[in-house]
């Protein structure tokens, strides 16, 4: 997904992330899960499409780490 790809209200979101409309106001919309529908634009918005605000809008989380306790010193 690149910032130049256009997504339209009512189409399915390709991935989680932050999306911005292409009007001068740059309204934003955040989605946590892919597969939801893009919403309609806010009232008085002149936008025509939603675009990804960040190229890698939702990177993979870092792997979990396990902390171990140090043994008590004698």
């Amino acid at each position: 997904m690149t910032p130049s790809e256009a997504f339209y209200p009512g189409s399915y979101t390709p991935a989680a992330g932050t999306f911005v409309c292409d009007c001068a106001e740059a309204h934003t919309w955040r989605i946590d899960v892919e597969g939801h529908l893009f919403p309609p634009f806010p009232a008085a918005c002149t936008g025509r499409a939603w675009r990804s605000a960040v190229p890698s809008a939702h990177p993979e989380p870092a792997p979990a780490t396990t902390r171990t306790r140090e043994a008590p010193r004698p």
Side-chain angles (χ1 to χ4, degrees):
M1 181 172 56
T2 66
S4 63
E5 287 181 88
F7 305 100
Y8 301 97
S11 62
Y12 290 98
T13 57
T18 302
F19 295 87
V20 62
C21 77
D22 59 1
C23 83
E25 298 293 320
H27 301 104
T28 58
W29 184 66
R30 173 101 176 107
I31 184 68
D32 309 10
V33 180
E34 69 179 77
H36 286 267
L37 296 176
F38 279 100
F41 296 111
C45 176
T46 59
R48 294 186 176 174
W50 293 103
R51 300 187 190 283
S52 175
V54 182
S56 56
H58 212 333
E60 290 296 317
T65 58
T66 305
R67 293 185 66 180
T68 57
R69 268 179 110 167
E70 289 184 29
R73 294 183 182 212

